[in-house]
Amino acid sequence: MNPVNKSSENDFLNLLTEAGIVIRTASPLVWQIEAEHWRTFAELAMLHHYRWVAGWVEENPPQSPFIKGEENDSSQSLFLKEEATKDSPPLQRGGVGIFMVNACFEKNGTYLVLRTTVNLNHPVLPSQATVYPAANRSERHSHDMFGITFTDHPDPRRWTRHQAWGKQDFPLRKDFPLQGSPPAITPPDRHYDFIKGYGEGVYEIPVGPIHAGIIEPAHFRFQAVGELILNLEERLGYVHKGIEKLAEGKTAQELIRLAGRVSGDTTVGHSWAACMAMEHAAGITPPPRASLLRAVLAERERIANHLGDMGAICNDVAFSFAFMQFSRLRESWLRHNARLFGHRLLMDKLVTGGVACDVSPSDCALMTQEIAALREELADIITAVDLNTSLEDRLYTAGYLSKQTAAAFGTLGYVGRASGQAFDVRRDAPYAPYQQLNFNVPIETQGDIASRFWIRAKEINVSLKLLEQLLTHLSDDTISADLVTAWQTPAVGSEGLGCVEGWRGEIVVYIRFGENNQIARYYPRDPSQHNWLALEKIVLNNIVPDFPVCNKSVNPSYSGTDL
Amino acid sequence: MLRLFSKIIKTGVVSESIPVVQDDELEALGIELKNQISKKFSGSIAIRQVDAGSCNGCELEIHALNNPYYAIERFGIHFVASPRHADVLLVTGVVSRHMQTALLRVYEATPNPKWVIAAGDCATCGGEFGVSYASCGAVANVIPVDLKIAGCPPTPLALVQGLLALC
């Protein structure tokens, strides 16, 4: 465990005891409580500044009395030491199935999984979304997929479900077959109860699911007066592909391929988080060289996406010079990806226990040249961009996200860091190889589109420095040349949590194994899930024509959210 | 402003100078493509891109067609905002069930003559996601497909080559 402030943790435990909440601990960072205390716990956690990270559900999970993790490395332990407890909680009550509901919290870099069980025939649980807005859509997703009712939920409308399956069908339940029984043509989701705007001059703009550009589908419903946006409601779920259901029964290696396609732009990030979760479950550690290479891939992914985004933000305010320059740099970066690793977007380079690629000394030299060249190019372009008043005019003060709102939604990554939210998994809950690297996490407090632009520029600089350090380590002859640690089939019911800093921010993945190396549950939480909530606030009081640039400054993943 | 112009001058036209080694193939293809398009579409082909359930990987590579290296507009190929302006639908991803009606409507809204290109492994054969309660699988399961471009995702070069095959 991280050296969390012990006394504050004890305060928290005392507070819980006072509230009558009994924690049946399966391991120090997995706390099981009674369902009735679900919301009370959230209220107390909020008081103690815990951040709500993710929520997921399992039906009758295969039993494991403990969660495995890396125990040797104190700074590493996102998850736990191997500690079997004899009085693990009864899962089957009187032969009736259960749902195990999980909520992950984080404080000072320590992740805590809170769990409870509810009866399968009467799955009701107090909502945590009344306390943590970040839990809102996650609970609605759990309702649509498992049929769990979260009482007093502030917004009980359906979320992931459109019209492809019925109100009483729950795709992630075990009795729901992967093929389901969908209609020949799934009708459009016509009767979703959007918020209405009233008053003189208030009108609505429905946008999507298919947009005017080359972009993922979703529906946006604006209420506006003149050009001013009064309200925006997002309606996602259009690219729901059944990823969680598809994952069930896959082998560890097959899962990585799927994880790499949760969100195509974050293929390294999601694969890494999935690998980390599975490696924790299996109790293996990838060799040092593999960790270094994973970080090289992750930082290259970050740079490629930031370059693309910076260009696209400029394009959305019609500043083509920067768009062309940044997209040129991105293309040249991707071509190097193809040359060095065999894939422009770096798909399928991670394997269980390691990586499926390596770099030679000449590759390292090539990357060093590339880094120098990119720095030189950026110096020219950034200066030209910085001095451009018309760009300044469009980006400064537009799309403002206050520090308070960002914190309330648990906003992550560059969106959070542009509004004063400093959290970065690489630094605050470090995993190999980031403990051995020196870097800082840039932060901005202005909270506007310009901040989200400049934070990306700063993050590119940090990533370039990280790449240089990684290359130095990779050139070190004393490091073993091993790229893969042999996979060990995890025990039935073993589980693991993977947390990495993807280019959009913290990615959290939960995995539980069933029999024969098969995945029983896979839940990936992309940072976009939280950042979408922030976008609804970012656009308020902006003009409708600025929505695209507001959206691009956040660039949330649709696919990674809809799953 | 001077810096901006000096950078533009310093950068030059990458779309012409770069292809010498790596992209000569593209240049040849592009010119051939232009000839083909001229015959059938009077010098322009308007593409409406539709993401029917992609992971966004294919979109990234389609975006790349507009970067200065490929600069696909110089061959008379451009992306349009409405299916009503389009000759070609470029569809990516499996067709998620939630997008099925939207895709059918886009197809209906595209004036004849029209062509449909399924781009990427998901769109061509279902890829990683296949057919399920949430997905109709390949694009051809929903609307007629004239051309398939494989790849996960297809590279920009593969996309240009694919467009050539259509003409």
Side-chain angles (χ1 to χ4, degrees):
Chain A
M1 246 166 91
N2 282 356
V4 189
N5 192 331
K6 266 283 173 215
S7 70
S8 119
E9 198 191 318
N10 285 337
D11 286 354
F12 183 49
L13 287 169
N14 290 338
L15 208 60
L16 294 174
T17 316
E18 276 171 36
I21 300 178
V22 181
I23 298 166
R24 302 162 69 176
T25 304
S27 68
L29 293 186
V30 181
W31 294 2
Q32 175 134 0
I33 63 170
E34 290 298 323
E36 58 191 289
H37 296 134
W38 195 246
R39 181 180 305 128
T40 318
F41 182 96
E43 284 162 356
L44 299 176
M46 173 67 102
L47 282 178
H48 269 255
H49 307 291
Y50 278 82
R51 180 170 60 89
W52 196 93
V53 173
W56 66 93
V57 178
E58 295 175 88
E59 179 185 336
N60 289 328
Q63 255 300 40
S64 162
F66 53 84
I67 286 191
K68 284 182 174 181
E70 295 178 33
E71 74 178 88
N72 47 3
D73 189 343
S74 63
S75 59
Q76 166 100 3
S77 54
L78 300 175
F79 239 44
L80 269 246
K81 294 172 191 170
E82 225 173 283
E83 270 183 31
T85 48
K86 290 186 184 84
D87 57 339
S88 60
L91 278 186
Q92 310 278 342
R93 287 178 181 159
V96 180
I98 55 107
F99 288 121
M100 181 179 272
V101 185
N102 301 272
C104 180
F105 295 84
E106 180 271 338
K107 187 182 179 184
N108 298 332
T110 303
Y111 289 86
L112 164 72
V113 173
L114 181 75
R115 62 176 40 153
T116 191
T117 56
V118 291
N119 188 308
L120 200 141
N121 292 331
H122 185 62
V124 179
L125 195 66
S127 164
Q128 291 187 335
T130 52
V131 186
Y132 285 100
N136 188 310
R137 289 172 184 174
S138 170
E139 288 185 351
R140 289 165 71 187
H141 177 71
S142 295
H143 174 267
D144 291 353
M145 304 309 282
F146 285 97
I148 293 173
T149 304
F150 290 89
T151 54
D152 299 318
H153 192 287
D155 183 0
R157 290 173 299 172
R158 62 178 184 273
W159 179 248
T160 308
R161 180 172 71 84
H162 288 199
Q163 299 296 329
W165 64 92
K167 199 176 176 182
Q168 297 305 324
D169 298 329
F170 304 107
L172 284 178
R173 287 195 178 187
K174 301 282 187 215
D175 60 7
F176 188 101
L178 173 62
Q179 290 307 319
S181 46
I185 295 177
T186 299
D189 195 25
R190 237 187 239 116
H191 302 294
Y192 185 76
D193 193 13
F194 283 102
I195 292 164
K196 298 268 189 300
Y198 299 98
E200 199 176 340
V202 178
Y203 65 101
E204 286 195 348
I205 313 173
V207 182
I210 297 177
H211 306 294
I214 303 168
I215 184 169
E216 299 178 85
H219 184 88
F220 301 116
R221 186 66 61 96
F222 295 94
Q223 275 89 33
V225 170
E227 288 203 307
L228 201 70
I229 299 172
L230 295 183
N231 189 55
L232 161 66
E233 202 180 347
E234 297 156 357
R235 175 78 177 121
L236 274 75
Y238 285 93
V239 282
H240 174 68
K241 298 181 283 290
I243 287 176
E244 290 165 275
K245 188 83 179 177
L246 277 170
E248 292 174 12
K250 283 198 186 294
T251 64
Q253 191 54 48
E254 285 166 354
L255 184 81
I256 301 178
R257 196 175 155 80
L258 181 67
R261 284 152 183 82
V262 166
S263 180
D265 47 30
T266 318
T267 182
V268 177
H270 272 285
S271 313
W272 195 350
C275 282
M276 189 185 282
M278 291 193 288
E279 285 153 10
H280 280 179
I284 63 168
T285 312
R289 192 170 177 85
S291 294
L292 292 167
L293 285 162
R294 284 178 178 186
V296 168
L297 297 170
E299 297 308 325
R300 291 191 68 90
E301 180 170 88
R302 192 181 320 277
I303 291 170
N305 281 298
H306 281 358
L307 287 172
D309 276 3
M310 289 172 77
I313 289 172
C314 293
N315 189 42
D316 278 346
V317 293
F319 187 44
S320 352
F321 162 75
F323 174 53
M324 285 301 157
Q325 293 290 346
F326 282 115
S327 61
R328 176 175 65 85
L329 297 183
R330 179 184 153 87
E331 175 67 20
S332 128
W333 194 258
L334 296 188
R335 287 180 181 193
H336 276 110
N337 277 352
R339 188 166 154 196
L340 293 161
F341 300 100
H343 194 285
R344 286 165 54 93
L345 304 182
L346 306 172
M347 279 180 168
D348 307 321
K349 296 300 149 201
L350 272 67
V351 295
T352 45
V355 290
C357 57
D358 199 358
V359 288
S360 66
S362 68
D363 292 341
C364 290
L366 180 71
M367 273 194 266
T368 309
Q369 278 172 20
E370 189 195 11
I371 290 167
L374 182 60
R375 278 211 181 102
E376 203 177 308
E377 292 268 17
L378 282 175
D380 287 351
I381 299 166
I382 292 280
T383 320
V385 166
D386 198 12
L387 293 173
N388 191 284
T389 46
S390 69
L391 192 67
E392 205 170 276
D393 221 27
R394 295 295 305 276
L395 301 188
Y396 281 81
T397 73
Y400 174 66
L401 177 70
S402 73
K403 210 173 162 175
Q404 292 75 14
T405 312
F409 288 124
T411 314
L412 294 163
Y414 48 78
V415 184
R417 286 191 285 272
S419 292
Q421 308 304 305
F423 185 76
D424 186 314
V425 190
R426 294 173 297 175
R427 179 194 62 191
D428 300 322
Y431 46 100
Y434 289 102
Q435 299 100 328
Q436 60 188 108
L437 306 172
N438 294 317
F439 63 103
N440 56 32
V441 176
I443 190 154
E444 297 252 335
T445 50
Q446 215 170 281
D448 54 8
I449 298 176
S451 277
R452 292 190 284 279
F453 180 86
W454 290 112
I455 198 85
R456 283 169 163 102
K458 291 178 181 173
E459 291 192 13
I460 290 177
N461 276 330
V462 173
S463 292
L464 288 174
K465 285 182 192 157
L466 280 169
L467 280 176
E468 284 174 329
Q469 294 177 47
L470 289 163
L471 293 177
T472 311
H473 285 291
L474 283 167
S475 316
D476 181 352
D477 295 335
T478 58
I479 290 187
S480 141
D482 289 349
L483 294 175
V484 180
T485 301
W487 181 247
Q488 288 174 1
T489 302
V492 176
S494 10
E495 49 186 337
L497 197 68
C499 307
V500 304
E501 186 73 16
W503 72 273
R504 277 197 183 89
E506 173 204 52
I507 298 171
V508 173
V509 163
Y510 172 80
I511 284 174
R512 189 194 286 272
F513 278 92
E515 289 173 355
N516 305 325
N517 199 31
Q518 286 182 337
I519 303 294
R521 184 76 173 103
Y522 167 58
Y523 176 73
R525 208 253 25 237
D526 192 89
S528 309
Q529 217 185 79
H530 295 201
N531 292 354
W532 273 114
L533 296 163
L535 179 63
E536 283 187 342
K537 302 299 168 200
I538 280 173
V539 300
L540 297 182
N541 296 316
N542 282 265
I543 56 173
V544 177
D546 271 356
F547 172 69
V549 66
C550 288
N551 188 7
K552 190 43 89 177
S553 74
V554 177
N555 194 6
S557 166
Y558 301 60
S559 178
T561 305
D562 292 348
L563 299 180
Chain B
M1 210 60 181
L2 266 180
R3 283 173 197 275
L4 192 151
F5 288 125
S6 91
K7 184 65 187 172
I8 291 174
I9 292 162
K10 207 162 122 190
T11 307
V13 182
V14 289
S15 354
E16 289 179 357
S17 54
I18 290 291
V20 177
V21 185
Q22 284 182 312
D23 289 4
D24 46 350
E25 199 184 352
L26 163 73
E27 201 64 23
L29 274 175
I31 288 158
E32 197 178 334
L33 184 59
K34 173 80 184 161
N35 295 337
Q36 297 284 349
I37 292 168
S38 303
K39 263 187 225 156
K40 292 190 178 161
F41 296 91
S42 306
S44 84
I45 177 171
I47 300 180
R48 172 66 255 204
Q49 194 270 335
V50 180
D51 172 345
S54 146
C55 74
N56 198 31
C58 292
E59 279 65 38
L60 293 177
E61 294 299 54
I62 293 170
H63 269 295
L65 295 175
N66 284 321
N67 77 34
Y69 283 96
Y70 301 103
I72 196 165
E73 288 211 9
R74 68 192 149 135
F75 307 122
I77 298 173
H78 59 282
F79 290 90
V80 294
S82 166
R84 298 192 195 283
H85 306 155
D87 307 306
V88 171
L89 292 180
L90 180 60
V91 188
T92 58
V94 285
V95 182
S96 80
R97 302 221 176 250
H98 294 167
M99 280 298 288
Q100 191 179 10
T101 302
L103 181 62
L104 285 166
R105 287 183 180 175
V106 163
Y107 185 73
E108 285 305 313
T110 311
N112 281 316
K114 59 190 165 195
W115 287 265
V116 175
I117 305 178
D121 289 348
C122 291
T124 54
C125 64
E128 195 60 23
F129 303 105
V131 178
S132 73
Y133 77 94
S135 157
C136 306
V139 175
N141 296 348
V142 179
I143 55 173
V145 169
D146 300 289
L147 177 79
K148 295 174 177 178
I149 304 174
C152 187
T155 60
L157 197 61
L159 288 163
V160 180
Q161 282 171 324
L163 282 165
L164 175 75
L166 178 77
C167 303

